[in-house]
């Protein structure tokens, strides 16, 4: 791992405040009455109610949505026994995933204890505080004993994710892999390398799914697990001991239908693959390097179905596919445990989701990728927004049917609708775009290439494989900044640098610009001056001429100055009459999109409707179903001013253009964001739930609302995203951060991937002189 990445990781954890978690109050504390309700004397009534009926803790406290992530630091990631203090960053990270993926609150608890009895006693004592326990990074075989004894003594779910999370995802992969090749699970031979927690749990779940114990061969670092072996054995391995003279992997691989690797790099040699059965399933899950690299496995066995634990290959086995959603379903029904029925239900739900036709939202989020059930798609994508709905509801239903639910769900349709809201509130909405960008990185030119934020962004996009950066600026300045910041970028290898005045294209670009602008008062000398001094112009010409795929500019200067150049050189897409900008704000309350924040001072009704359509299409690209509210000072006809009439007319136009999109207005912002308020005003509104795309009547309103929400809501901004232009161009603002530039680079790359390859002349924007 590079020193630069290490420094960035430490800085990320250190600032602006140490760690990744904070406690946030969920009730107002604005006056004396609030304080009286929250604490004395009001809190006494909640205490009394719970004392009379303990189950009321689920409705009067946070317990029903609170999980403890517990470790003693004995098996942390690939770092081993590093202790509870060093394990804390990982546990905080796990807590963040719970919150982001499933809306579950977490406390991370690191215990300085190795004794199993003491650990169990400590964990059991936590039951009054938490609705569930997630055991994490505890070494085998102690983890088996700890989980078993805690489950026996506690009446809440106790779930060791390293075991069962991995097992559930592996189980789904096995079901789908065998379905594709037409093999009976009760007849397959399984060879596994991995006698640790995850390996044993995977085998246990496979037995529940139908694999026969006599068909399972376990190999650990000592060799084949066989009857009579004493070295590094325990009761969990003993369950898979075979009466055999076989001693090494090569002795048992013949005729294997499934190889399950949870061990180490290069354990499975290519020459062994030829001895496996026809159409084998190879699950090489060691990280970062699997037991066999997929390209080697494919070369040796073209008929194999291959899965790894890595995100850069198809069929990633990733615990995040299930653990947040298993806890979500278990908590929502007040389950007393996570039993075998719930784990099997999660396994089948995940497997079925990979076989299902992807929704429009998923397809939009993963444009260009194969999302059809097949050898390279046996598991859902980790960021498939349907996972929380399908897996959580399956787990909840299984808990009810198996008799471990204390708060059964009366209406599953309403429950599934409720689960959908967690998708919208996920702050990870950029992930599908970044993932898509990595599939085919494009040449992105940065107009302000000397800016330290741009140069650091270039390092990140090179490291992450998002884009091929091109920096416009003086080579010596860029080299100095790279050196001062300790970056690893190599000019000419990782990044291209363009010095305009020295670039051989300068004179051609000048002539090109003059011909485009000659009848707009631009003389040859003026053209030469503009091309030489305005890097946005040079970058836009590169994109127009096909010498770069996308442009990011705007870290210095005014937005309008950059926009004027883009108008003249890039123009609008065919059929589009107005351009606009949209900003995405990610806050604790979810993701909200605002338009038009920078371009149109006072758009007409027709323009507002088109802006709403362009923005709704862009929202879908993030894997989010747009819910559109056209805002006004008027609430469904309560005022008759020109602005209100404009937004009223725009709603009808937009609805005609997008009959399949939830859209309504004109309305107040509170009516858009609070369904209860809207229901009082207009019960039959076309918009259901909370709006996530807010279309403003004027640039003033959009820009003011955007900046207020950004500061008051402590929201992260993605944007401005330029809508409706002919080529992939985005104009950021001078306040943009490196992270913001990386996000906009990913958006630009995906724009370029989707761009029309025909280099047609752009349509001049309406109103541009």
């Amino acid at each position: 791992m590079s020193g630069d990445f290490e420094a960035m990781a430490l800085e990320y954890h250190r600032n602006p405040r140490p760690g990744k978690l904070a406690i946030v109050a969920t009730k107002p504390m604005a006056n004396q009455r609030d304080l009286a309700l929250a604490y004395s004397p009001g809190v006494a009534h909640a205490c009394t109610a719970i004392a009379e009926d303990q189950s009321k803790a689920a409705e009067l406290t946070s317990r029903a949505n609170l999980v403890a992530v517990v470790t003693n630091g004995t098996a942390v990631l690939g770092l081993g026994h590093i202790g509870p203090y060093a394990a804390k960053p990982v546990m905080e990270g796990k807590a963040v995933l719970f919150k982001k993926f499933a809306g579950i609150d977490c406390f991370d608890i690191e215990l300085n204890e190795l004794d199993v009895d003491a650990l169990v006693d400590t964990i059991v004592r936590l039951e009054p505080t938490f609705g569930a326990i997630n055991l994490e990074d505890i070494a085998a075989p102690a983890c088996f004993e700890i989980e078993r004894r805690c489950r026996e003594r506690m009446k809440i779910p106790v779930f060791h994710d390293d075991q069962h999370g991995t097992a559930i995802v592996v189980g789904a992969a096995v079901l789908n892999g065998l379905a594709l090749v037409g093999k009976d699970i009760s007849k397959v031979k399984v060879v596994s390398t991995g006698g640790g927690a995850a390996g044993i749990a995977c085998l246990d779940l496979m037995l529940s799914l139908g694999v026969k114990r006599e068909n399972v061969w376990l190999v650990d670092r000592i060799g084949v697990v066989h009857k009579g072996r004493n070295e590094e054995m325990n009761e969990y391995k003993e369950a898979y001991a075979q009466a055999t003279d076989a001693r090494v992997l090569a002795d048992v691989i013949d005729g294997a239908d499934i190889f399950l690797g949870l061990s180490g790099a290069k354990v499975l040699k290519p020459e062994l693959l030829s001895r496996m059965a026809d159409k084998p399933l190879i699950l090489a899950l060691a990280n970062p390097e699997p037991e066999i690299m997929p390209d080697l496995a494919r070369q040796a066995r073209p008929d194999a179905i291959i899965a790894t634990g890595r995100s850069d290959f198809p069929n990633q086995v990733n615990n995040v596919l299930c653990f947040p959603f298993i806890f979500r379903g278990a908590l929502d029904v007040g389950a007393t445990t996570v039993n075998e029925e719930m784990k099997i239900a999660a396994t089948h739900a995940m497997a079925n989701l990979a076989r299902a036709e992807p929704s429009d939202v998923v397809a939009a989020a993963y444009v260009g990728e194969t999302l059809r059930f097949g050898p390279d798609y046996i598991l859902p994508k980790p960021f498939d927004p349907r996972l929380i709905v399908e897996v959580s509801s399956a787990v909840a239903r299984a808990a009810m049917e198996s008799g471990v639910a204390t708060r059964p769900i009366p209406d599953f349709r309403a429950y599934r609708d409720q689960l959908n809201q967690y998708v919208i509130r996920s702050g990870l909405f950029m992930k599908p775009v970044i993932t898509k960008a990595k599939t085919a990185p494009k040449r992105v030119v940065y107009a302000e290439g000397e800016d330290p934020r741009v140069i650091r962004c270039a390092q990140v996009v090179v490291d992450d494989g998002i884009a091929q950066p091109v920096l416009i600026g003086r080579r010596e300045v860029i080299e100095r900044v790279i050196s001062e910041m300790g970056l690893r970028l190599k000019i000419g290898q990782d990044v291209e640098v363009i010095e305009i005045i020295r670039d051989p294209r300068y004179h051609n670009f000048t002539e090109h610009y003059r011909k485009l602008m000659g009848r707009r008062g631009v003389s040859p000398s003026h053209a030469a001056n503009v091309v030489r001094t305005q890097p946005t112009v040079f970058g836009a010409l590169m994109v127009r001429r096909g010498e770069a795929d996308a442009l990011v500019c705007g870290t210095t200067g005014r937005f309008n100055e950059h926009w004027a150049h883009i108008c003249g050189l890039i123009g609008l897409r065919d059929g589009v009459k107005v351009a606009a900008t949209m900003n995405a704000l990610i806050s604790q309350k979810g993701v909200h999109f605002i338009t038009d924040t920078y371009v149109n001072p006072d758009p007409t009704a027709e323009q507002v409707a088109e802006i709403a359509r362009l923005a709704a299409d862009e929202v879908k690209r993030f894997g989010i179903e747009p819910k559109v509210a056209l805002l006004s000072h008027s609430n469904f006809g309560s005022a008759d001013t020109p602005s209100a009439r404009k937004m009223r007319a725009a709603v009808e136009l937009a609805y005609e253009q997008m009959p399949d999109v939830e859209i309504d207005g004109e309305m107040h912002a509170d009516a858009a964001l609070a369904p209860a308020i809207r229901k009082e005003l207009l019960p039959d509104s076309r918009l259901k739930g909370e709006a996530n795309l807010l279309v403003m009547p004027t640039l003033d309103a959009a820009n003011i609302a955007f900046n207020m929400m950004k500061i008051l809501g402590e929201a992260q901004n993605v944007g401005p995203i330029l809508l409706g232009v002919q080529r992939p161009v985005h104009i950021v603002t001078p306040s943009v951060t490196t992270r913001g530039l990386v996000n906009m680079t990913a958006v630009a790359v995906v724009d370029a991937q989707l761009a029309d390859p025909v280099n047609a002349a752009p349509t001049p924007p309406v109103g541009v002189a």
Side-chain angles (χ1 to χ4, degrees):
M1 184 174 295
S2 71
D4 182 59
F5 185 82
E6 179 182 350
M8 290 174 65
L10 294 175
E11 181 68 13
Y12 173 86
H13 282 79
R14 184 177 292 121
N15 290 312
R17 56 190 295 182
K20 297 189 284 283
L21 297 174
I23 294 176
V24 178
T26 60
K27 298 296 190 294
M29 296 283 182
N31 52 41
Q32 183 60 39
R33 181 174 178 79
D34 289 343
L35 293 174
L37 292 169
Y39 200 58
S40 182
V43 72
H45 298 291
C47 295
T48 301
I50 296 170
E52 294 173 353
D53 181 358
Q54 187 172 301
S55 68
K56 288 190 179 297
E59 60 185 77
L60 296 174
T61 75
S62 63
R63 181 176 183 268
N65 194 53
L66 190 60
V67 169
V69 180
V70 181
T71 191
N72 64 353
T74 52
V76 180
L77 299 178
L79 304 174
H81 186 168
I82 60 175
Y85 288 93
K88 188 171 179 64
V90 179
M91 301 308 115
E92 286 188 352
K94 191 66 173 276
V96 168
L97 294 178
F98 269 113
K99 186 67 175 179
K100 291 298 184 183
F101 278 99
I104 295 171
D105 295 316
C106 274
F107 288 149
D108 61 292
I109 298 178
E110 296 76 29
L111 299 174
N112 190 15
E113 183 59 70
L114 299 179
D115 181 75
V116 170
D117 292 336
L119 269 172
V120 170
D121 287 342
T122 302
I123 295 168
V124 168
R125 294 186 182 111
L126 298 174
E127 185 167 350
T129 302
F130 296 98
I133 304 291
N134 182 92
L135 301 177
E136 190 77 14
D137 291 350
I138 300 174
C143 62
F144 299 114
E145 182 72 9
I146 292 166
E147 184 190 45
R148 181 184 64 79
R149 289 167 56 180
C150 286
R151 291 180 65 179
E152 290 173 351
R153 293 174 59 183
M154 302 177 81
K155 295 180 181 179
I156 58 174
V158 179
F159 186 86
H160 187 205
D161 182 48
D162 298 330
Q163 294 182 54
H164 309 299
T166 304
I168 289 165
V169 184
V170 165
V174 167
L175 290 177
N176 281 345
L178 295 180
L180 281 172
V181 299
K183 292 185 179 181
D184 184 342
I185 194 169
S186 67
K187 298 178 181 178
V188 296
K189 177 180 178 180
V190 178
V191 174
S192 174
T193 60
I200 296 295
C202 288
L203 295 178
D204 288 348
L205 187 64
M206 282 191 196
L207 298 188
S208 296
L209 294 173
V211 171
K212 301 298 184 185
R213 187 180 295 270
E214 59 266 25
N215 293 337
V216 175
W217 298 81
L218 176 59
V219 185
D220 62 11
R221 70 186 192 89
I222 302 302
V224 174
V225 174
H226 61 273
K227 298 282 188 186
R229 195 184 104 176
N230 297 316
E231 191 174 3
E232 293 194 14
M233 290 292 288
N234 55 56
E235 63 179 289
Y236 307 100
K237 289 183 185 179
E238 190 66 44
Y240 292 97
Q242 294 270 26
T244 179
D245 293 329
R247 292 296 182 264
V248 296
L249 177 61
D251 295 338
V252 297
I253 198 68
D254 287 349
D257 299 283
I258 300 172
F259 170 81
L260 173 61
L262 289 153
S263 46
K266 301 178 181 179
V267 167
L268 182 62
K269 305 301 181 185
E271 57 267 23
L272 295 181
L273 295 184
S274 63
R275 295 162 54 185
M276 294 183 70
D278 290 341
K279 300 178 181 177
L281 177 58
I282 300 170
L283 305 169
L285 308 182
N287 257 326
E289 185 177 353
E291 285 78 4
I292 186 169
M293 291 298 290
D295 54 342
L296 292 177
R298 180 72 62 209
Q299 187 176 15
R301 288 301 299 264
D303 61 336
I305 295 175
I306 304 166
T308 71
R310 292 171 47 147
S311 62
D312 52 344
F313 294 107
N315 301 325
Q316 183 190 14
V317 174
N318 188 334
N319 288 15
V320 81
L321 284 166
C322 71
F323 78 80
F325 318 124
I326 289 170
F327 276 90
R328 181 73 276 157
L331 288 169
D332 288 340
V333 296
T336 57
T337 187
V338 174
N339 57 25
E340 203 69 10
E341 292 88 344
M342 295 160 73
K343 290 187 283 186
I344 291 174
T347 303
H348 282 287
M350 193 181 308
N352 292 337
L353 186 55
R355 302 186 196 193
E357 180 181 346
S359 70
D360 292 341
V361 174
V362 178
Y366 294 96
V367 174
E369 295 192 40
T370 301
L371 298 178
R372 187 179 297 109
F373 181 53
D376 287 336
Y377 188 66
I378 61 173
L379 289 169
K381 293 290 184 181
F383 293 87
D384 189 325
R386 298 170 299 171
L387 278 165
I388 187 171
V389 178
E390 301 303 329
V391 177
S392 299
S393 58
V395 169
R397 191 181 294 277
M400 292 164 55
E401 292 175 352
S402 62
V404 299
T406 61
R407 297 190 303 275
I409 294 169
D411 184 347
F412 258 83
R413 170 180 276 184
Y415 178 56
R416 289 170 68 89
D417 289 341
Q418 174 188 327
L419 292 171
N420 262 318
Q421 294 303 307
Y422 291 113
V423 176
I424 296 173
R425 285 179 166 82
S426 171
L428 298 171
F429 88 114
M430 274 301 298
K431 184 64 177 181
V433 177
I434 291 175
T435 300
K436 172 58 184 166
K438 291 180 179 181
T439 64
K442 299 293 184 181
R443 282 169 54 85
V444 177
V445 58
Y446 299 85
E448 297 86 18
E450 297 177 5
D451 190 307
R453 294 167 297 174
V454 171
I455 295 172
R456 188 173 289 280
C457 167
Q459 181 72 73
V460 173
V461 301
V462 167
D463 287 346
D464 292 352
I466 295 172
Q468 302 163 13
V470 180
L471 307 181
I472 298 179
R474 292 164 293 177
R475 183 185 180 103
E476 63 272 19
V477 173
I478 294 171
E479 286 178 336
R480 185 179 72 246
V481 174
I482 291 173
S483 176
E484 289 174 351
M485 293 196 298
L487 303 181
R488 293 161 285 105
L489 282 175
K490 291 182 173 55
I491 295 175
Q493 178 178 324
D494 302 317
V495 62
E496 179 184 347
V497 170
I498 292 176
E499 297 181 281
I500 294 176
I501 196 64
R502 299 177 182 176
D503 193 280
R505 295 167 292 190
Y506 167 62
H507 295 292
N508 286 336
F509 276 28
T510 297
E511 181 61 15
H512 191 167
Y513 182 75
R514 187 197 65 78
K515 288 180 178 178
L516 288 172
M517 299 295 182
R519 294 188 179 274
R520 299 183 189 178
V522 175
S523 65
S525 61
H526 182 58
N529 184 60
V530 171
V531 173
R532 183 179 68 254
T533 62
Q534 300 296 324
T536 293
V537 170
F538 198 94
L541 287 168
M542 288 182 68
V543 173
R544 181 185 175 95
R545 291 161 62 100
E547 298 181 29
D549 300 302
L551 167 66
V552 175
C553 60
T555 59
T556 60
R558 297 179 179 178
F559 183 95
N560 287 342
E561 294 170 351
H562 294 280
W563 173 233
H565 293 311
I566 301 306
C567 275
L569 297 175
I570 302 299
L572 305 183
R573 293 203 309 264
D574 293 340
V576 173
K577 297 179 180 179
V578 63
T581 55
M582 178 180 74
N583 287 74
L585 289 171
I586 311 165
S587 70
Q588 291 292 332
K589 295 185 177 180
V591 181
H592 295 90
F593 301 86
I594 298 180
T595 191
D596 167 28
T597 43
Y598 285 95
V599 176
N600 300 284
D602 189 7
T604 64
E606 291 76 14
Q607 289 174 327
V608 170
E610 183 164 20
I611 291 168
R613 178 178 60 80
L614 293 171
D617 288 343
E618 189 71 19
V619 169
K620 291 179 182 178
R621 292 255 304 279
F622 291 97
I624 296 175
E625 194 66 46
K627 292 178 176 288
V628 189
L630 274 65
L631 301 189
S632 171
H633 70 284
S634 172
N635 238 345
F636 303 113
S638 64
D640 197 35
T641 62
S643 175
R645 291 195 297 269
K646 176 181 77 172
M647 298 305 283
R648 204 171 304 148
V651 169
E652 296 306 317
L653 291 170
Y655 193 66
E656 290 175 7
Q657 296 175 22
M658 300 180 287
D660 58 334
V661 173
E662 291 186 29
I663 183 169
D664 213 339
E666 83 285 12
M667 68 178 80
H668 289 178
D670 59 354
L673 298 173
I677 294 176
R678 187 167 64 254
K679 186 175 182 180
E680 287 292 322
L681 296 168
L682 192 69
D684 57 348
S685 171
R686 298 163 179 163
L687 177 62
K688 307 301 179 185
E690 179 181 332
N692 54 29
L693 173 54
L694 309 177
V695 180
M696 301 290 178
T698 65
L699 186 150
D700 275 351
N703 197 272
I704 291 169
F706 156 66
N707 281 296
M708 287 182 65
M709 287 178 65
K710 183 172 65 172
I711 299 300
L712 296 178
E714 297 183 347
Q716 178 189 343
N717 169 46
V718 177
I721 300 167
L722 193 53
L723 308 174
V725 291
Q726 179 76 17
R727 300 282 188 269
V729 174
H730 294 288
I731 307 168
V732 299
T733 59
S735 63
V736 71
T737 62
T738 296
R739 179 186 299 178
L741 283 166
V742 172
N743 286 337
M744 291 311 302
T745 300
V747 172
V749 168
V750 175
D751 286 343
Q753 292 172 350
L754 300 175
D756 183 356
V758 179
N759 193 18
T763 303
V766 174
V768 176

